[in-house]
Amino acid sequence: MKRLLLVTLLFCLNCLFVWGQYNIKYEDEVLSSKERANLEKVIDFQLKFYNNARLDSLIKASDVKLYIYTDYSAFLLHQKEQMKTTLHRSMGFYSSKNKEAVVCKDKNETRFMKTCYHELSHFFTNTYFSKIPIWLNEGLSEYFSEMKVTAKEVKHIKKDRNIARVKTMIKNRDIDLKNFINWDRQRFYKMSFAHDGYGYALGYSIVLFLMEQHKDMVPDYMGKMASEKDSAITFDQLYGGGFGQFEKDFLSYISKQ
Amino acid sequence: MQYFKQNILTCIFAVIFSMQFCFSQGGKSPAITISSDRDRDGNITFVSNNDDYCDYYVILDFPELRGYTARGAYPCKKNVRTGRENLLTLKKISDTSSPGYRWSYTFYRGSINAKPNLDYIYAMPVKSGDSTRVNFGRSGEFKLYFNYRHAGDTVYACRAGKVCNNDLRDGSSKTYTSREKIVIYHKDKTFSEYDRYTTPLVHAGDNVKVGQPIAIVQPDENGKKFVSFAVYYLDKDKMLADGRKHTSLIPIFHTVNNGDCKLDEKITYVAELTGELVTQDMNKKEKEKYEKKLLKQNK
């Protein structure tokens, strides 16, 4: 009997540790056990990736902050309070005030999980790599929002729509890569909303190219780009053959997709 | 009597329902209608009728086909020009006891073979010599909002082409709108679209030239005069995907102060209509005719 009690106690302690390792706040039972399990696996995956890029100190699991709302009005009110504005088309945002990702529960499970993964990436970039260029910030979020969780692994599923969009840009001679990678936030969002998700699609495709072709180098790029204002200089310094070669390789990679 | 009343009620509901359906489609009739002609041997030819002044891409499908063979591939996918065009013929198989078929079709404004001329230089939609600024839209499709604060009230054609009939609808959401727009079809099978004007000066079927006045704009309730302008084409790469079938382009405009460029916000541009802009879309004959006309005018 004593042994059984001990085993039960150990099991409970273990559950508490696993479920409580991230700072995920929500009202009621908003997450199903499957959602919760998938979310934690993707957080683990992102945590590993972002910790690889950190040179000074590691991000702890308990540092990860995600707030999930079930009520859309409450979510909007919180957004207004945090950002001084409300973005009606978005179901998630990063609160720089509280340094946390905030998401509103969507009835569409797939979309909701993607929003969670997207905002979690923003949590990591905005909290720990705040100076990285906007194309990389949004590109990484777009990349991490498309994760498939299986029993064995967490893997990225290519976002065909974004790749097709970039192919159209290339076909219509609508890309000036050197200019794009130095866009500020204002320009990035303005062009993205004005022109069919321009910045998101292109940022994602560059990240996809780097993750697929030069994965080991990505942490170096992130570290360098956080300190270097001109992303082209980073490519000149880190990419074999410099920015020109990077541009050539990237365009060739996209054309083969 | 009771039966008569029921029939009347049914008729009223049917009329209300059909009116609702009609209004939900903006009350517009389809740009493409399909008819079928049966010959003496029982073969059936499907014919499209395009009432618009531009090409359409038509997909004619047969979810059910018994006792017939199609001449040519089906689903039949074809660009159709204005007027009537044969799409496909169903040939009757002689020994079939109960032949039958069901068909459906969809259509999109534009040609699937559009090859946008990316080097084309557009004239600005304001009077030559006037200045203007632009704002970008936020609708996803690239749109420029030209500010007419210092540019009078006349909208000028940015490129030559034929005015489409906007009282018709296509199979995509492109023309499901209650607001009137001027849509012009160009030689390279792209469209340019002008919106937010007040009075049109051109009509469906008109051939317009670069720099021709096409509309009058009046100030809105805030005293601001804006006209939106967009260039797009039917994109074959989008045919298999959900959503929009058209892709918008960022046009290059001729300006006096910035040369030929893609316009940006917060910059004032001065418009100019040059001979080169006017003759860009012309063939050799048209160019010679235009130059002769200019010579005559100068004499």
Side-chain angles (χ1 to χ4, degrees):
Chain A
M1 187 66 186
K2 272 183 184 174
R3 191 174 286 176
L4 186 70
L5 265 173
L6 191 69
V7 169
T8 314
L9 193 68
L10 279 172
F11 177 75
C12 289
L13 273 172
N14 184 44
C15 284
L16 202 69
F17 173 71
V18 172
W19 290 92
Q21 65 178 325
Y22 303 114
N23 199 347
I24 304 174
K25 288 185 228 165
Y26 50 84
E27 300 151 341
D28 312 324
E29 279 308 308
V30 58
L31 293 174
S32 65
S33 53
K34 185 186 157 201
E35 285 173 334
R36 173 125 205 164
N38 285 354
L39 192 57
E40 295 207 337
K41 279 182 183 171
V42 172
I43 297 176
D44 265 343
F45 189 84
Q46 291 196 26
L47 191 62
K48 263 182 208 156
F49 171 81
Y50 285 108
N51 266 334
N52 259 344
R54 292 261 300 171
L55 294 174
D56 40 4
S57 60
L58 288 181
I59 308 161
K60 288 176 279 176
S62 57
D63 293 337
V64 180
K65 280 163 87 181
L66 172 69
Y67 199 111
I68 302 169
Y69 275 92
T70 45
D71 179 38
Y72 186 59
S73 315
F75 165 78
L76 284 179
L77 267 173
H78 183 63
Q79 192 178 44
K80 176 106 185 168
E81 190 186 287
Q82 297 291 308
M83 300 176 76
K84 306 246 183 303
T85 184
T86 46
L87 308 164
H88 283 272
R89 279 192 286 188
S90 164
M91 294 297 272
F93 69 95
Y94 171 77
S95 162
S96 49
K97 210 169 167 184
N98 291 355
K99 296 205 185 313
E100 66 183 1
V102 184
V103 173
C104 185
K105 175 78 171 159
D106 195 321
K107 278 179 187 160
N108 181 322
E109 191 195 320
T110 315
R111 199 166 52 203
F112 164 65
M113 295 307 280
K114 282 182 181 182
T115 311
C116 285
Y117 304 160
H118 184 105
E119 295 308 330
L120 276 164
S121 177
H122 279 316
F123 163 78
F124 287 112
T125 49
N126 293 341
T127 310
Y128 302 102
F129 303 89
S130 60
K131 285 179 180 165
I132 61 166
I134 187 65
W135 70 265
L136 183 56
N137 192 337
E138 287 296 352
L140 284 164
S141 279
E142 284 286 286
Y143 180 88
F144 283 120
S145 68
E146 300 294 324
M147 304 309 284
K148 190 177 179 187
V149 183
T150 62
K152 283 182 185 170
E153 58 176 352
V154 176
K155 63 174 184 180
H156 173 70
I157 303 293
K158 280 182 193 169
K159 201 169 182 177
D160 292 336
R161 194 193 171 276
N162 279 356
I163 297 168
R165 177 77 185 90
V166 176
K167 281 185 171 179
T168 304
M169 289 177 203
I170 295 169
K171 195 173 74 184
N172 291 339
R173 283 191 250 141
D174 204 7
I175 291 185
D176 180 349
L177 215 52
K178 203 163 200 171
N179 189 0
F180 171 72
I181 57 174
N182 286 315
W183 278 0
D184 61 13
R185 295 177 74 84
Q186 203 187 356
R187 181 92 188 148
F188 182 93
Y189 292 122
K190 183 158 275 195
M191 281 310 286
S192 293
F193 290 124
H195 200 17
D196 202 9
Y198 186 102
Y200 292 96
L202 191 48
Y204 163 79
S205 299
I206 300 174
V207 167
L208 177 71
F209 164 71
L210 293 174
M211 291 292 223
E212 296 235 316
Q213 306 287 310
H214 306 274
K215 197 175 182 183
D216 297 341
M217 295 287 286
V218 177
D220 295 341
Y221 283 107
M222 288 186 63
K224 186 83 181 150
M225 278 173 189
S227 59
E228 178 58 68
K229 271 191 174 179
D230 188 344
S231 291
I233 293 176
T234 305
F235 281 113
D236 275 337
Q237 291 173 349
L238 298 182
Y239 197 91
F243 175 81
Q245 191 59 45
F246 155 71
E247 186 174 32
K248 217 170 142 184
D249 293 347
F250 169 68
L251 296 178
S252 156
Y253 170 80
I254 291 295
S255 70
K256 285 176 194 157
Q257 297 300 305
Chain B
M1 193 59 186
Q2 183 67 25
Y3 177 73
F4 181 68
K5 270 185 183 172
Q6 265 185 354
N7 267 354
I8 287 184
L9 271 174
T10 313
C11 284
I12 291 170
F13 280 125
V15 168
I16 292 170
F17 180 75
S18 56
M19 277 172 70
Q20 270 184 336
F21 180 75
C22 211
F23 282 118
S24 70
Q25 298 290 314
K28 295 177 174 183
S29 49
I32 302 292
T33 47
I34 307 274
S35 56
S36 57
D37 298 330
R38 192 184 291 261
D39 68 12
R40 280 180 194 168
D41 302 326
N43 302 326
I44 303 156
T45 301
F46 287 83
V47 181
S48 69
N49 193 42
N50 177 358
D51 286 329
D52 207 343
Y53 296 95
C54 58
D55 297 332
Y56 273 78
Y57 182 59
V58 179
I59 303 167
L60 174 65
D61 195 10
F62 294 88
E64 199 182 318
L65 193 61
R66 277 192 330 270
Y68 288 96
T69 51
R71 258 186 222 154
Y74 84 92
C76 166
K77 297 174 181 179
K78 200 174 177 187
N79 288 313
V80 295
R81 282 173 289 187
T82 306
R84 280 168 68 84
E85 259 191 62
N86 284 0
L87 292 175
L88 171 136
T89 299
L90 294 183
K91 203 178 169 197
K92 202 174 173 185
I93 302 168
S94 53
D95 57 350
T96 310
S97 56
S98 55
Y101 61 87
R102 230 164 16 95
W103 60 279
S104 64
Y105 77 110
T106 184
F107 52 100
Y108 303 103
R109 198 181 230 178
S111 167
I112 202 76
N113 300 328
K115 282 192 183 124
N117 177 0
L118 302 174
D119 295 319
Y120 190 88
I121 311 294
Y122 291 76
M124 287 207 284
V126 299
K127 195 178 178 183
S128 191
D130 281 354
S131 63
T132 185
R133 279 183 167 214
V134 292
N135 289 333
F136 296 155
R138 285 176 67 93
S139 63
E141 290 175 84
F142 190 78
K143 270 185 185 175
L144 291 165
Y145 288 83
F146 282 90
N147 189 340
Y148 279 71
R149 192 178 173 188
H150 302 293
D153 61 0
T154 309
V155 184
Y156 296 84
C158 300
R159 185 174 182 181
K162 203 168 195 108
V163 181
C164 299
N165 187 348
N166 244 26
D167 285 334
L168 302 170
R169 63 178 167 84
D170 77 352
S172 71
S173 58
K174 196 74 205 160
T175 48
Y176 289 144
T177 172
S178 55
R179 204 162 55 214
E180 287 307 310
K181 293 173 180 180
I182 294 174
V183 179
I184 297 178
Y185 194 47
H186 305 297
K187 266 190 175 169
D188 63 351
K189 303 185 190 302
T190 59
F191 296 90
S192 51
E193 184 176 288
Y194 305 76
D195 194 2
R196 293 195 168 217
Y197 58 86
T198 340
T199 316
L201 301 174
V202 288
H203 302 96
D206 286 357
N207 281 309
V208 297
K209 292 172 185 163
V210 184
Q212 180 181 328
I214 56 166
I216 301 294
V217 57
Q218 273 177 5
D220 61 16
E221 60 272 21
N222 303 317
K224 289 176 178 170
K225 290 181 287 181
F226 278 96
V227 167
S228 85
F229 178 76
V231 179
Y232 55 85
Y233 65 97
L234 187 63
D235 191 343
K236 68 175 171 195
D237 295 337
K238 286 186 175 174
M239 275 301 137
L240 294 175
D242 291 338
R244 279 196 290 258
K245 306 294 180 207
H246 295 86
T247 288
S248 48
L249 294 168
I250 303 183
I252 301 168
F253 284 90
H254 176 68
T255 72
V256 174
N257 50 331
N258 276 49
D260 300 337
C261 62
K262 289 179 179 174
L263 305 185
D264 207 346
E265 293 185 327
K266 294 177 185 168
I267 298 172
T268 302
Y269 297 99
V270 181
E272 183 184 39
L273 187 65
T274 64
E276 275 177 14
L277 289 180
V278 177
T279 55
Q280 267 183 114
D281 262 343
M282 291 180 179
N283 58 32
K284 209 177 165 186
K285 257 190 178 177
E286 288 168 332
K287 263 185 196 171
E288 282 171 6
K289 205 173 159 187
Y290 172 79
E291 277 158 11
K292 269 184 191 171
K293 197 178 158 187
L294 268 187
L295 273 172
K296 247 187 189 179
Q297 278 175 353
N298 290 340
K299 277 179 186 175

